[in-house]
Amino acid sequence: MIDSTGLPNDINIELTNVSNHNGKISNEVRLVSAVQRDSGYPLIFRAIPGNINDISTLSTTITTLAEYSVNTDFTLLDAGYVSEKNIDDLYEANIDFVARLPEKLKKLYSSIVESGSSDLKTSENLIEFMGRFVYVKDVECKLGSTNKTAYAFLCYDVAAASDENYKTIANAKKFSKKKLKEKHSEFHKIFESSGTFIIISSLPFKRKEILNVYYNRLIVEQYFDLGKGMSRLIPLRVHSEERVLGHLLICQIAATINLYVQKALEQSYNNSVELYLGLRNQKCTVYSTRIITSEAQSSATILYDKFKIEYPNYFDKQGDKLQAHNSLPKTLSDDEA
């Protein structure tokens, strides 16, 4: 899975540049990551100037993976990576793919909508997925400059359509009656297309499988959330390219460790802070002959048990060395006392 995320900053280096990503303008470094689909762990990351668009990064990222002996045979891509050239390149390299089709490929997008929209909303096409209801219809299509036979899945997300329509109606209240009448055709197009999206694939997945396959992409987005959250990818407070890359490397290592712990504990990201605070607050009291550990908080105990970590009740001081003990101190005899 290949995706990117913005790291907004005002560092005066070549990596920082103005980005227009999905209409959002930001001064940023852009982080491109490739994540293994099955494990969810990152394979590589690349820091690029913010003004480089996603389309331009696909071939370089896959070629870089090959340099590290990673054989890419299947990719999951967001719409920002899809272009006729990239599709041609993937076919040429025998790399299968699943991707969301961007509306900017108007001819292809319109032909798929025209072919499948007439009987899309039928009970046979309705699929429940992650608590949402989506109509899905498969439509054969031709992709790339060589018209390779591929598979398109025309989708209508009921909840997403409702949300988009609600926002449009709320926005319409800002206009006067005269202006509102002028915008009727614009609003009609929004209402007509809201909730609609297309997934394209080089492989013939079943309708009931395609949403689950495509939304595996959420793994890389969750990895970015983890990185921007407790693993602190941002804010960037360094002022040279070398230090930016060093900062990102440390953060990627931290995010990977966080992911490993999260997967082992089967805990959500939201619970991880409490777990780590439990470890941070594991303290001890230093006496002249012993160091006595404090009782572990329940969140720390969860981690200790899961990773089979034993922490001693106390340490005996023996010169410069510490002797760990898990039992109670032995009672001294009268002579020893």
Side-chain angles (χ1 to χ4, degrees), residues 7-9 11 16 29 232-238 244 247-248:
L7 306 177
N9 68 84
I11 303 172
T16 297
V29 175
R232 307 290 179 87
L233 280 169
I234 51 177
L236 303 179
R237 294 193 178 97
V238 290
V244 168
H247 166 80
L248 294 181

Side-chain angles (χ1 to χ4, degrees), residues 204-243:
F205 289 102
K206 294 179 180 178
R207 284 188 308 106
K208 293 183 178 180
E209 297 175 339
I210 193 61
L211 293 176
N212 191 53
V213 172
Y214 176 71
Y215 282 106
N216 266 315
R217 284 192 61 261
L218 293 175
I219 293 173
V220 71
E221 293 177 1
Q222 289 168 352
Y223 185 79
F224 286 147
D225 289 342
L226 196 63
K228 285 186 169 181
M230 48 190 307
S231 303
R232 307 290 179 87
L233 280 169
I234 51 177
L236 303 179
R237 294 193 178 97
V238 290
H239 296 277
S240 72
E241 183 172 330
E242 184 179 34
R243 289 183 178 181

